[in-house]
Amino acid sequence: TTSLAVPGRKRARMGGGCLGFMQGPGTNPCSLWVLQQLRSKYGGLYGQDNVILSGTHTHSGPGGYFQYTLFWITSKGLIRPALSSIVNGIVKSIDIAHENMKRGRLFINRGTVENSQINRSPFSYLKNPESERNRYSSNTDKEMVVLKMVDEDGHELGLISWFAVHPVSMNNSNHLVNSDNVGYASYLFEQEKNKGMLPGEGSFVAAFASSNLGDVSSNTRGPFCASTGESCDNPQSSCPVGGAAMCMAQGPGKDMFESTRIIGQNLYLKAKELYEEASQEVTGPLSSAHQWVNMSDVSVELNATHRVKTCKPALGHSFAAGTIDGVGAFNFTQGSVEGDPFWDQIRDQLLGEPSNETKACHKPKPILFSTGEMTWPHPWHPDIVDVQIAAIGSLAILAVPGEFTTMSGRRLREAVKSEFDSHGTRGMNVVIAGLCNVYTHYITTYEEYQVQRYEAASTIYGPHTLSAYIQLYRGLAKAINATEELPRGPEPPLFNVTTLTLLPALGVESAPANKNFGDVLEEVRQEYREGEVAKVTFVGGNPRNSAENATEHNFLTVEKYSSISSSWRAVLNDASWDTRFYWSKGSRGQSNVTIEWHIPAGAEPGVYRLRYFGHYKKRLLLLGTVTVPFEGSSSAFHVAAP
């Protein structure tokens, strides 16, 4: 998550999480607490009207930062240390950017990215009108938009790149905290511009932001049955043997690491090309419009004679089926337009039966969880949602609170562009910034909703959700053009859920007999070549100790020895693509940590070592427990020339 409120010389390193890139709050504690901290530091300078938090995003990051019950069930509650780390990291990055603000210029460019995405619900897409589909050459948006930032003297500051692709190259078997393909693209760009700097350091910031990626997968070889190897590209995404649980998308690489690298490099190379060739300057006034809306009760005017309404939040049966990028469980399948009596009975007994009103409102969705009618111990889904537009001259950024499908995004962009045109602001570059301020799952078109694949089952405010958003964003565009006053809307609640956690407390830890924390258990070899893996195993401590007690922390470094200065210099850290950190929990409070360096082609020959930085929990006689820092180092080893 990155602050881009004018890049400064250095920015805080942090994990993924609390939806964040440029300049709104939302209905999760993360975004609301960010705003509270900004208000205490800067007064009224930064607030919900000019702050947008947008998820880049990753499926391999920390959780536990949402206040709504459905989300914290899957992450064992609201985890205060994770929430605090994310909030503090975002605020620190904004602090650094604020302190280093300078006058600058913006340039925009756009181009086509090939071989990096497929539509993972093509059968839903085909339900959109043929006349509409014929206007487009693909069932995904292949266009990348790049916003280039330089100072008055032309010195490079950073970029934001918008492109529609899910960061799901890393699959469900991954146990690493990982920023996926868009994070790798950002890493490559920043490493090139901040030469000699470790990840997270340097003045240049490259943000690869989400767009209308709801039905867009990065697994470009498509869905195959894990059991037989045959294609399962069918309306239910199901296999003859094993059902939907066996249907998984793959590619383009031989494993998830190679797939991440390939897709990320594709994005980086296109962004680099567009960045270098960007010549269309963005000039004009800066304006924004923000509104809180009760999305459970929006009246939508479809035409002169027909009005419809949105619904209380609910998830359909196909939500539990997952997608070809991450399959669900049990016997759920995509495309379910009828409920399952077995699961409906379990739902009714455990959670309560949906009301007839909610059932009717969501048709043809068979409701699995009527989350809008579930309030214990706190509401399961948000009712109050942010809608927001930030306009910079000829650029309009639509900050949307969820994952719009390809055609949904196209309709929204067209509607807002038409609204700007009708008020004399022609030629606007309209981009969708996804997952902003609060997360409300997916938004499909009305036609896609009828098929009830995963994305439609996850369109929580019912079949007219997209129409409601189009109406609301038209209203925001009118407000920016000063033709209509915009009500502030109902402010979202902030629940006291900081004690609701199922995550066990950290216990006292111990080292094996005759060993200390940080001691080497399995040593490196004396020599390696490029393409090999240098690996060392240490007596370890639970990494949660470090995450909960260190504001900024590297778990590992790869260090190179300089014979000239007789000193070691860190050349890689835990955010580097070629390093991996594995923690293995043992018995009796003991655990191991293994650090790997996958030595890349072109690695500079020389003498290296791998270092580990951790914390362990120790018991004191009268004072309870304390957290103690420690470190360890491998022996020196040589990387030989090819």
Side-chain angles (χ1 to χ4, degrees):
T1 312
T2 305
S3 167
L4 267 181
V6 187
R9 270 187 287 280
K10 184 181 178 184
R11 66 186 171 95
R13 288 184 57 249
M14 55 182 295
C18 180
L19 314 176
F21 75 65
M22 192 181 77
Q23 318 180 6
T27 48
N28 66 69
C30 183
S31 52
L32 291 174
W33 286 1
V34 166
L35 283 180
Q36 287 178 2
Q37 288 198 27
L38 292 176
R39 192 177 301 116
S40 67
K41 287 189 174 190
Y42 301 104
L45 182 61
Y46 299 119
Q48 72 269 9
D49 293 328
N50 65 352
V51 173
I52 298 171
L53 300 180
S54 173
T56 297
H57 61 280
T58 178
H59 288 223
S60 303
Y65 54 89
F66 273 102
Q67 70 170 342
Y68 286 94
T69 303
L70 180 80
F71 300 114
W72 61 251
I73 280 181
T74 60
S75 55
K76 298 185 178 180
L78 190 140
I79 302 168
R80 183 60 181 265
L83 172 61
S84 297
S85 295
I86 292 167
V87 169
N88 293 339
I90 292 174
V91 172
K92 181 173 181 179
S93 65
I94 293 173
D95 289 340
I96 295 169
H98 179 86
E99 291 163 7
N100 291 277
M101 274 197 285
K102 54 183 67 176
R103 290 186 174 274
R105 303 171 69 189
L106 300 175
F107 298 88
I108 195 168
N109 200 6
R110 54 184 71 229
T112 302
V113 183
E114 298 289 354
N115 306 316
S116 298
Q117 46 166 212
I118 61 168
N119 192 305
R120 70 185 186 190
S121 285
F123 301 97
S124 297
Y125 181 87
L126 287 172
K127 293 298 180 180
N128 293 306
E130 183 179 8
S131 59
E132 184 180 32
R133 288 185 281 112
N134 287 343
R135 294 167 49 205
Y136 303 97
S137 60
S138 172
N139 61 4
T140 60
D141 280 344
K142 295 181 178 294
E143 185 176 72
M144 174 184 284
V145 178
V146 168
L147 186 66
K148 176 180 180 177
M149 307 174 189
V150 299
D151 67 16
E152 283 187 315
D153 299 322
H155 298 134
E156 298 176 309
L157 297 175
L159 69 94
I160 306 176
S161 164
W162 288 277
F163 181 65
V165 66
H166 251 101
V168 286
S169 294
M170 301 296 290
N171 60 40
N172 283 0
S173 67
N174 175 43
H175 287 194
L176 295 168
V177 174
N178 181 283
S179 57
D180 217 281
N181 46 49
V182 289
Y184 184 55
S186 175
Y187 170 80
L188 289 176
F189 216 125
E190 292 187 5
Q191 287 296 103
E192 177 190 336
K193 296 297 183 180
N194 302 319
K195 292 208 182 292
M197 308 293 283
L198 292 171
E201 299 179 356
S203 63
F204 191 93
V205 179
F208 282 72
S210 297
S211 189
N212 54 320
L213 47 67
D215 54 357
V216 185
S217 171
S218 53
N219 293 303
T220 54
R221 283 164 54 198
F224 291 86
C225 296
S227 50
T228 64
E230 63 185 307
S231 172
C232 49
D233 190 13
N234 56 62
Q236 282 70 46
S237 295
S238 188
C239 296
V241 179
M246 287 289 113
C247 184
M248 305 173 191
Q250 304 172 5
K254 66 179 185 296
D255 59 30
M256 60 183 174
F257 293 99
E258 186 178 51
S259 294
T260 301
R261 182 186 58 78
I262 292 171
I263 299 298
Q265 190 166 48
N266 287 351
L267 303 182
Y268 154 70
L269 290 173
K270 176 54 69 170
K272 180 182 177 183
E273 173 194 322
L274 296 174
Y275 178 88
E276 291 174 347
E277 296 176 358
S279 59
Q280 180 186 344
E281 188 165 4
V282 178
T283 60
L286 175 65
S287 56
S288 63
H290 170 275
Q291 188 177 38
W292 282 306
V293 177
N294 182 355
M295 278 300 296
S296 298
D297 188 27
V298 177
S299 179
V300 184
E301 185 177 341
L302 293 182
N303 52 48
T305 58
H306 287 78
R307 297 189 72 89
V308 293
K309 291 187 70 173
T310 54
C311 313
K312 291 182 178 180
L315 291 162
H317 275 248
S318 293
F319 163 77
T323 74
I324 58 174
D325 292 323
V327 297
F330 305 110
N331 62 336
F332 292 99
T333 60
Q334 295 198 65
S336 296
V337 291
E338 294 182 4
D340 184 302
F342 173 76
W343 292 113
D344 287 347
Q345 185 176 21
I346 291 177
R347 174 206 62 202
D348 295 349
Q349 292 176 352
L350 294 178
L351 303 172
E353 183 180 0
S355 67
N356 290 334
E357 179 186 3
T358 298
K359 287 180 181 178
C361 189
H362 280 270
K363 281 187 176 180
K365 177 196 292 179
I367 295 175
L368 181 63
F369 300 125
S370 185
T371 52
E373 298 175 313
M374 296 158 63
T375 58
W376 187 90
H378 291 283
W380 282 49
H381 263 147
D383 289 317
I384 310 303
V385 170
D386 300 71
V387 292
Q388 191 170 10
I389 296 179
I392 310 168
S394 60
L395 173 65
I397 301 168
L398 313 187
V400 300
E403 304 182 62
F404 278 61
T405 61
T406 299
M407 196 64 86
S408 293
R410 288 169 176 169
R411 290 184 188 178
L412 179 63
R413 282 197 303 261
E414 278 194 359
V416 172
K417 191 174 188 310
S418 172
E419 194 66 49
F420 275 107
D421 287 347
S422 70
H423 296 289
T425 313
R426 299 190 174 276
M428 289 291 284
N429 292 285
V430 179
V431 298
I432 290 176
L435 299 96
C436 287
N437 301 326
V438 61
Y439 184 63
T440 62
H441 298 268
Y442 287 73
I443 298 93
T444 65
T445 67
Y446 177 83
E447 294 85 355
E448 291 163 353
Y449 188 90
Q450 307 308 307
V451 186
Q452 281 299 301
R453 280 178 59 85
Y454 173 83
E455 294 82 12
S458 305
T459 298
I460 62 174
Y461 300 111
H464 302 291
T465 301
L466 174 60
S467 296
Y469 277 125
I470 287 175
Q471 178 174 290
L472 290 165
Y473 280 88
R474 278 186 174 273
L476 294 171
K478 289 176 183 176
I480 284 179
N481 285 280
T483 62
E484 188 174 287
E485 189 172 339
L486 196 67
R488 177 186 177 91
E491 193 162 338
L494 183 59
F495 309 126
N496 181 20
V497 293
T498 54
T499 58
L500 290 174
T501 179
L502 301 176
L503 196 67
L506 291 168
V508 174
E509 296 171 278
S510 61
N514 302 317
K515 293 286 185 181
N516 295 311
F517 287 93
D519 283 356
V520 173
L521 295 174
E522 294 181 32
E523 190 59 273
V524 293
R525 302 202 314 258
Q526 291 185 335
E527 183 172 294
Y528 295 89
R529 295 185 180 276
E530 62 180 46
E532 296 183 321
V533 180
K535 181 164 68 171
V536 59
T537 300
F538 297 95
V539 177
N542 191 320
R544 276 178 58 199
N545 287 315
S546 300
E548 294 183 10
N549 289 278
T551 304
E552 295 184 44
H553 183 75
N554 273 313
F555 287 99
L556 70 90
T557 55
V558 177
E559 299 181 351
K560 189 175 186 295
Y561 184 74
S562 170
S563 56
I564 298 175
S565 61
S566 300
S567 63
W568 294 91
R569 181 177 68 90
V571 293
L572 300 170
N573 61 18
D574 53 14
S576 300
W577 171 254
D578 299 311
T579 61
R580 297 179 195 171
F581 176 98
Y582 296 95
W583 175 66
S584 177
K585 183 179 180 180
S587 59
R588 301 189 304 276
Q590 297 179 10
S591 59
N592 296 343
V593 160
T594 298
I595 290 172
E596 295 180 356
W597 176 28
H598 293 243
I599 303 171
E604 186 178 349
V607 178
Y608 293 84
R609 68 180 182 185
L610 306 179
R611 296 190 70 198
Y612 164 39
F613 305 91
H615 293 77
Y616 71 94
K617 196 167 285 293
K618 176 181 179 180
R619 184 178 300 282
L620 297 182
L621 288 177
L622 299 176
L623 301 177
T625 60
V626 294
T627 302
V628 182
F630 67 89
E631 56 187 67
S633 176
S634 74
S635 298
F637 59 91
H638 190 258
V639 173

